[in-house]
Amino acid sequence: MKVITLLIKLIYFSSLLGIVIFLIFFPGNNYKDTLLDLFFWLSAFGYFTLVITKHLQAKLSLINGMGCFLAGALIFSSGLFRISEIILKLGFIFFSIGLLQSFLNLRYNK
Amino acid sequence: MKIKKVNRENLFFNFLIALVPMILVFVGFHNGLLLGTGESGLPFYKLSTASHLLNWAWSEGSLGINSGIIIVAKPTFLVLSFLEKIGLGGYLLQALLFYFLFLTAGFSTFYLSRIFFPNLKGRYYFLAVLFYWFNPISLISVWNRFLYNFIFFWAFLPLLLFLLKMLLETKKIAYTFLLILTIIIFSYSQSSMPLTILTWLVISFSFIFEFFIKGWRSGKFYIFNFGLMVILYFLTNLWWISQIYSFLHSSSLAATTSLFFTASGNLNELTFLSSTLGVLGNLLRFYHISFIESGPIWAHIYSFKPLILFEFLPSAIILWVIYKYRNVKEVIFLGLLFFFTLFLMKGNQPPLGEIFQFVFERVSFIQVFRNPFEKFSFLLPLAGAPLFGYGIQRLVEETKASFLKRSLVIISLVVVIIFWGFPFWTGLVFTSTNDTNPLLLRSYQAEVPSYYKQANDWLTSQGNNFRFISLPLGGEGMTYNWPKPYSGVELSTTLFDIPNISFNTSVPYYHDIAAYLEAYLITNNRFTDLFPFFNVKYVILRSDIDWKGRGLINPESLKKYLDQIPSLRKVQEFGSLDIYQVPENKFQDKFYIPERNILVFPNTSVNDLLLQPGSKNDAFYSTGDKILPDTTGDKILPNTTKIQINPSRVTLYQTRQELGLEDSLQRLPYVRYLPDSRLYFLIQAKEYLERNFLNRNGDNFTYDLTTLGKRAAEIYLLADKRKSSNFINKTVEKYISNLNFIIAEYPNRTLPPEQLSIQLTVLEGAKFKLPQTQTSGLDLAIQNLQQYMRQEGFATLYQIKLSSKNNRYWNFEFIIPEGGEYTLYLDNKRINDFYKLSSDIKFQIDNTIYTAHPVFENNLIRIDNIRLPKGTHELSMEEPERINLISPTSEIILNSKTNPKLEYQVFPYDPFAVYDVSFDYWIKKGETFHLTVSQDTDPIVESSDQSHYFQNIHTDSYNHDFTHDEVKLTPDNRSTKMSIGFLVELFNDCPDNNSLFERCKDPIYKKFFDKETEVLIKNLTVKRVFDSQIHLIQDKPLPITTSPQISYKLINPAEYRISIKGAKAPYLLVFSELFNSDWKISLNNMALDNKNHYLVNSYANGWFIDKTGDYEMVLKFAPQSFLEIGEIGSVISFIVVSLFFILFVLKRR
């Protein structure tokens, strides 16, 4: 079981890393948008899995979101719009999940 | 004591909320001028006219149109026109309205913030108000956009949420009634489907949130109140909901959607707008980036790089509050609304944009949100404003150093009041880019010159039973060069009380007329012969418009054409308006009974009205699908003096070399696993993923075409290998559904004939491999394919026996409803200028070849005595040799440094023709060059003429020799000159244009990579595309009976009483308003059957009345009855709701 989990994690992180490397070093390809989509879906599912399995608190998600937002805003103001957009989008995912967690906490008084 | 202090503070800020809008309104209206632009027009110029147009279900504007959902503004305009009547000026009313809306938004946001976060100081609530007033969405999407329904909705939203919150918190049912009453007051905000949906989105979101938090304990109250709200909303808004219901079931909706909108078009638009406007870096600054970058000059300050970090400050505060106070219910509510709005605003952009697209593609009414930024953005400041005020107070409280506290508040105030607010304080919010020079501003302040009033008074003094045409005639937009100019929607409907044809728009039937009126003036000396059919008495030539900027014909040129028409007489001149009158014999009343009925089969077009000389007492009626070939005879109306058959299909057929079966098979995609294979499901999965995942921009045409070829190959291989008929039938079914899908999905694309021909050969080959009993499915597939090929001109019904040098044939298909002798007419369209004609014309009808000596007559080529039996026939003609319309040198060399641009004038030139441009090119150096088309009507954009057509042509990475290219050109039919040219620009290979680092955006850095481009062009030809129309006409004896006398009384634009005297035989009654199946005529309270309702004169209504004697009839637009019932229902519901509200308030006290 451990081997399978490890294998899934390995595939997951190498996919994420692979996409990032591909995006940085192979500009102008036809699959760029699709790969970015894939990257965000993987990030969303990956983080969501972490939230469920590790019982991560809403605070952590929102801190991550806030961090991404601040970093994204800083990078945006320096003119690197594409990188900042990716970071802001990750922030969007973290904030959305964090807010859902807070909402559920409120409902079930956790 | 503390309470008193708080109240006093609140009072002070309430005073500020009343004062600030006063200042803003003063800035906008201090010189006493009206504001108007865009789609809103200038309704405050004459509110009684605007109100009159909204009073009935049918409006007389243009050729008439059903009012539809815009009737929702009726109460608003009734109140405003009443205030105008008692003496308040238009600009004063507009200023008062804007003040009222600002005030509503301000007070609502103040109290909304207070109910969400009760313990704040008044100044922070006021900060929330400032945020709501001045944020860039309010600035750009609301006030600068200047749509009244958007402004109403913007003011109404915080009030809606406030009342909802009060209802859900206090659980007092009185708030439900109050909310419903408020919706009526702000009913104008419901005048667009997306805004209605947004209203209900906010209501549903609030209820669901509370329901989820409170659970079933309070569930009954929420469900009851939500249900009550739905019912009361429906009842109190019945007057306009009834119109939507009618519109959804009317013929005009079906015609409009099928003509002007497609699902794939909507998806492409969504994808484009999402990728442009849905960038999170801009959304979190509340920015509409297209406006910031290419809007008025003052908007450019928002893209000033050193300020960008400050622009994130409001969002940073909002997000900080969400993070810090994540356990506060109100914060979660507003936070969820904020992020949900962000998710909607970014459309189908990642992350998770696929969810949006999934819903968008499947739920058709969601497609009204194809510009998600514009529509959803209202909710962002709604959620953000209270969080912003709350956030500032909390930050101040948590900051210990007083300097920091002060700085934070001051910076926030500076960002909101000065940085965001300066366009409001200076009046710049009511300005946009000047059309001719982007560095200049165009104010929304406009003043209509007094001669418009004089002209209107004179026209109204001439009666009320006619229309006029305004020239030049353009699209929906117009720029008037008045001393205080106006640019926006064309204003003739507001400026004149008389119905007029003054602009073109996408209304079925009307569009085809308005688009060609000027064309007939320029090219046809029988222009005025059209007037009786359109109930037109005057032509107004206006020279106070920016014709160049709007791409219109020069009024001076039009004046020359008008002056040349002997029957037109200039009768009046008011300022820049010249009024021409048509003689009495060219004027026809709105209702008339024609002396001669001409059946045009299957459909009429405006072109038919001028085909042959006629009189004002003619009527061209069409039966559409009412006449089927085998039931025709008895459906032709009794007084029909002529039958004109228009072709049901017109194509240019080119014979091609057909490939054999083996060659065809080799050109289809390779098939490894057949449908009977166990692994075939993997192929299907791969295709599904490839199509939906890799091509997310909605344009899968090439992929779908390849898949279709693959299905054809599979069918052949299955048949060849004698596989089970079950698999073959399933694959054939899939082939047919794929083919139909491609045809429906890409209505503007043509499937390549070579591909179709290959597939046809393969399918026919497969048919021979199968036993005769199993070929029915395949026969159907072949039939479908052949039918499509015939429609597109890739195949003919009968084999062509004629022999043409260029293998090109004009091919027409006719359905003859009544057999007999016909005369064939071919539209001349200056045929001698564009073709080299021979004296004899050879043509083929079905399988027989004929030779005829044509007669040239009235712009037509006539061939007599063609006998045709009833049924479907095909007529083919050799296409005469086409003349090259330009004379270029044999080979052209273009060089980006020495000779970057070349142009050739097309001569002779017909603006109504389509042209084939063909050339060979070789890009010797560089990567790309441009084909340009210039016309004398090209609009001026950024101080220079914008080419009518501009196409980039790229180098072929494989072929390094001459390459052939062909382009089809449709010119602007208002132009009189056209030139075709080429343009080469410097090649630039700046290396990191597509990477994450964007250095190449720096023009100085980019210039280092400039290199020379050189292109060789030869064999340049421009030839007219075949577009001649052919008609078959059969003359019938004139009727003996005389037409009865007719008179009518206008009750209102949606209802008439018609009096008939002396009807001795059945007749056709023509009503010259836009055709709509909802116009119902009744006799003795009995409505006439719909089958007697005909499309007449290509746009109007006609009824076949089979009753003799003297009698009266009532003509009514059916939705008017719904409107009357709806109005009664709404008024009663409004009174009942008001009584309930008073009752509940009194009871509580």
Side-chain angles (χ1 to χ4, degrees), chain A residues 24 27-28 34 37 40-41 59 62-63 66 69 73 76-77 82 85 88-89 92 95 99 102-103 106-107, chain B residues 209 212-213 279-281 285 309 316 319 323 326 329 332 335 339 350-351 354 693 696 994-996 998:
Chain A
I24 293 173
T34 311
D37 278 1
F40 290 122
W41 277 104
K59 185 181 175 184
L62 294 172
I63 282 180
M66 201 64 206
F69 168 75
F76 193 94
S77 58
R82 279 188 210 174
E85 188 60 16
L88 286 172
K89 279 172 177 167
F92 177 86
F95 254 110
L99 265 167
S102 305
F103 180 52
L106 190 72
R107 171 71 179 93
Chain B
F209 184 87
F212 193 80
I213 296 295
V279 174
L280 274 180
R285 294 184 297 151
L309 206 56
L319 296 184
Y323 150 68
R326 60 190 166 277
K329 189 183 116 186
I332 296 173
F339 271 88
E354 285 79 1
F693 203 57
R696 67 192 299 277
N994 286 316
S995 77
L996 295 168
E998 299 172 316

Side-chain angles (χ1 to χ4, degrees), chain B residues 1-17 107 110-111 114 118-127 393 409:
Chain B
M1 193 64 195
K2 200 184 170 187
I3 292 168
K4 274 187 181 172
K5 195 182 167 189
V6 169
N7 283 345
R8 208 174 299 144
E9 195 186 344
N10 281 350
L11 207 64
F12 171 67
F13 286 108
N14 281 350
F15 168 71
L16 281 185
I17 292 172
F107 278 115
F110 190 90
Y111 288 99
R114 206 170 84 156
N119 298 320
L120 303 191
K121 289 178 181 167
R123 71 193 74 159
Y124 299 108
Y125 297 135
F126 185 62
L127 210 56
Q393 163 138 350
V409 175

Side-chain angles (χ1 to χ4, degrees), chain B residues 1064-1076:
Chain B
K1064 289 175 184 151
Y1067 59 93
L1068 184 74
L1069 172 70
V1070 177
F1071 173 48
S1072 297
E1073 285 271 317
L1074 199 72
F1075 180 85
N1076 193 303

Side-chain angles (χ1 to χ4, degrees), chain B residues 98-113:
Chain B
F98 284 4
Y99 180 69
F100 167 71
L101 294 171
F102 254 115
L103 214 63
T104 309
F107 278 115
S108 307
T109 311
F110 190 90
Y111 288 99
L112 174 73
S113 306

Side-chain angles (χ1 to χ4, degrees), chain B residues 528-688:
Chain B
T528 49
D529 287 357
L530 283 173
F531 290 11
F533 301 114
F534 304 136
N535 181 225
V536 167
K537 198 171 189 177
Y538 298 99
V539 177
I540 294 187
L541 181 72
R542 45 192 177 178
S543 47
D544 57 353
I545 54 164
D546 182 7
W547 58 272
K548 186 72 180 161
R550 286 285 177 180
L552 306 177
I553 302 178
N554 186 344
E556 284 300 314
S557 313
L558 288 173
K559 189 175 166 52
K560 280 177 200 159
Y561 287 114
L562 289 172
D563 289 341
Q564 282 167 12
I565 301 174
S567 55
L568 271 182
R569 190 167 55 91
K570 187 172 158 184
V571 285
Q572 284 290 337
E573 188 178 332
F574 298 101
S576 303
L577 306 175
D578 293 344
I579 303 183
Y580 293 80
Q581 188 176 1
V582 294
E584 203 51 41
N585 68 340
K586 300 275 182 189
F587 175 70
Q588 184 56 276
D589 220 335
K590 190 178 263 188
F591 287 91
Y592 73 98
I593 295 169
E595 286 167 3
R596 299 193 314 162
N597 296 331
I598 297 151
L599 166 65
V600 185
F601 183 79
N603 284 308
T604 61
S605 74
V606 66
N607 196 35
D608 299 324
L609 310 181
L610 291 181
L611 194 64
Q612 286 188 306
S615 86
K616 70 173 192 175
N617 293 320
D618 289 351
F620 294 79
Y621 73 96
S622 90
T623 51
D625 53 5
K626 281 179 191 162
I627 291 187
L628 297 171
D630 31 1
T631 59
T632 299
D634 52 358
K635 294 283 179 79
I636 293 174
L637 298 184
N639 284 355
T640 301
T641 57
K642 206 178 263 188
I643 298 177
Q644 180 186 321
I645 315 291
N646 290 339
S648 52
R649 171 172 63 77
V650 182
T651 52
L652 175 78
Y653 174 70
Q654 272 180 285
T655 48
R656 293 180 180 81
Q657 195 187 356
E658 288 190 10
L659 295 174
L661 183 59
E662 285 303 315
D663 287 337
S664 298
L665 274 170
Q666 278 179 7
R667 292 185 189 212
L668 287 179
Y670 173 65
V671 175
R672 187 169 179 185
Y673 296 103
L674 286 174
D676 66 329
S677 162
R678 283 180 187 171
L679 293 175
Y680 190 70
F681 77 96
L682 285 175
I683 302 291
Q684 286 176 308
K686 175 181 155 271
E687 282 177 8
Y688 178 81

